[in-house]
Amino acid sequence: MNLNFFTAQFPYKTGESFIENELPIISSSFDKIKIFPHYFELDQKQREIPGNSKVEQIDNYNIQKLNLSYKLLIIHFFLIELRFNNNKIFYLKNYRKWLSLLKQAAIKASYIEANELLLHDAVCYSFWMNDWALMLSFLKKRNIISSFVFRCGGFDIWDERHEGNYLPFRGLIYKYASKVFPNSKTAESYIKEKKIFPNKVESKYFGTGDYGIGKFDETQEFTILTISNVIPLKRVEFIIEILKKVNFKVKWVHFGDGSKMSEIKRMAQQHLSMHQVEFKGRVPDYIDVLNYYKNNTVNLFITTSESEGLPVTIQEALSFGVPIIGTNVGGVSEVVNSRTGFLIDKDFDVSEVALIINNWKESEFNTIEKRQDIRRFWVENFKDINVYNEFSKDLLEL
């Protein structure tokens, strides 16, 4: 059995780091794997991939001419999606945009079909419900492939993240997909409430690698770690508001960059003079983040995001035994609980979070025993070898 694997940009650039955990494990279940990245540049450095894998770069598909069958299928798909759509006025008002997306997916499908780029006797698996999943719907309708599945993990789950509260082509893609794998139970429930092929939806967690329990030395400076893009959605400025009310010196280390970075740096310089702050930026190799956990005592990981899927960054922190404070959004409640840390309201009171930290040194979460139990929770639920061996079985059953 082979695997056609469709990604946004993996194995290029630094995104989709979670695929680096998944692919080496599931690769052992397949004879050959062909990876189709959607975005890439021809001179980009390629990350390491399993020996039975190769990358298919589709960079000139726009030369493909659509035959009448594909053109009619675009109209057919447009009408199918209209039937499933709960915001028909918004959909029809923006019909040019949707027809353009359908045309691009059709051109890519036609190019792949004409050039016979897919591995035969294969599972077709898209890592996202995106352009690739739409393209696979064309191939499925044309009987070029017998089935396909996809994961979804954030932007491709929540309608509220999209203009008009409309996630493009969910109804259409779900109609032709064999299985839909959201990355949390919360997302599974949300999708099933849409009543669009709920029998196809089954949550499957991402997994993270085992690098051992993190360093813990009570005599070291109290360190708080955050990892995120510095954009409005992540609300990194709330970390500063919390630390302003913490009554002992802490070291705050942040990995990530974004549009609000300059503002965050100014705020930190103005308000956090009693604390030590390190902005690490966006590291070119994510192993640097994992090594930070291994080589430094991290007392606490915090996320104040207003929207999430099920954050892999939290899973990674748990794998090192690091307790969490996280907002109750998306699937965060599946990783942050009384065993692993403190789940706080989306619109939390800054003073209440600061009080948790002010009392931290006397709490059970500041003990090696508790950190060992946090790591056990991770092993039970998110250890990559366990999670992805099970997922391989799901793929092979297709």
Side-chain angles (χ1 to χ4, degrees), residues 49 52 115 124 160 179 218 381:
I49 59 176
N52 62 343
N115 291 278
C124 290
E160 296 78 11
K179 292 287 289 186
E218 290 183 76
N381 295 279

Side-chain angles (χ1 to χ4, degrees), residues 87-131:
N87 194 348
K88 289 181 171 55
I89 294 176
F90 174 81
Y91 183 74
L92 291 171
K93 184 178 179 180
N94 294 276
Y95 74 94
R96 289 187 179 89
K97 178 179 180 180
W98 315 130
L99 287 173
S100 176
L101 291 174
L102 286 167
K103 181 181 178 181
Q104 285 299 307
I107 290 173
K108 189 166 282 190
S110 178
Y111 181 85
I112 288 175
E113 177 184 348
N115 291 278
E116 299 183 347
L117 298 182
L118 296 178
L119 293 172
H120 297 290
D121 186 29
V123 176
C124 290
Y125 163 33
S126 173
F127 203 79
W128 307 99
M129 194 197 83
N130 59 1
D131 312 69

Side-chain angles (χ1 to χ4, degrees), residues 47-102:
R47 281 178 274 176
E48 185 177 351
I49 59 176
N52 62 343
S53 305
K54 65 172 290 187
V55 178
E56 185 71 54
Q57 296 178 333
I58 302 178
D59 61 336
N60 59 347
Y61 67 94
N62 279 316
I63 65 174
Q64 185 72 23
K65 301 296 183 182
L66 291 178
N67 59 30
L68 179 60
S69 176
Y70 266 104
K71 290 177 180 178
L72 292 175
L73 196 51
I74 289 173
I75 303 301
H76 179 62
F77 277 7
F78 179 86
L79 295 175
I80 288 177
E81 180 66 11
L82 177 62
R83 177 166 65 88
F84 286 115
N85 203 303
N86 290 325
N87 194 348
K88 289 181 171 55
I89 294 176
F90 174 81
Y91 183 74
L92 291 171
K93 184 178 179 180
N94 294 276
Y95 74 94
R96 289 187 179 89
K97 178 179 180 180
W98 315 130
L99 287 173
S100 176
L101 291 174
L102 286 167

Side-chain angles (χ1 to χ4, degrees), residues 9 24 38 74 94 146 152 168 182 202 216 233 265 283 293 304:
Q9 58 185 14
H38 192 270
I74 289 173
N94 294 276
S146 60
C152 42
E202 182 182 358
F216 181 61
L233 179 75
K265 287 182 176 179
V283 293
Y293 280 113
T304 54

Side-chain angles (χ1 to χ4, degrees), residues 91 118 148 185 225 232 271 290 294 296-297 300 308 353 387:
Y91 183 74
L118 296 178
F148 74 91
K185 292 180 174 61
L225 186 66
H271 298 293
L290 303 176
K294 285 293 295 181
N296 301 272
T297 293
L300 171 63
E308 284 288 359
V353 179
V387 169

Side-chain angles (χ1 to χ4, degrees), residues 150-162:
F150 63 88
R151 283 192 183 272
C152 42
F155 76 94
D156 49 356
I157 293 175
W158 315 103
D159 290 331
E160 296 78 11
R161 291 195 182 185
H162 299 265

Side-chain angles (χ1 to χ4, degrees), residues 20-48:
E20 295 177 4
N21 297 320
E22 175 176 331
L23 187 58
I25 296 173
I26 68 172
S27 66
S28 62
S29 298
F30 296 94
D31 299 317
K32 297 179 182 178
I33 298 174
K34 187 177 282 192
I35 305 170
F36 294 80
H38 192 270
Y39 306 103
F40 63 90
E41 296 174 8
L42 294 178
D43 59 349
Q44 284 178 331
K45 181 182 178 181
Q46 180 179 304
R47 281 178 274 176
E48 185 177 351

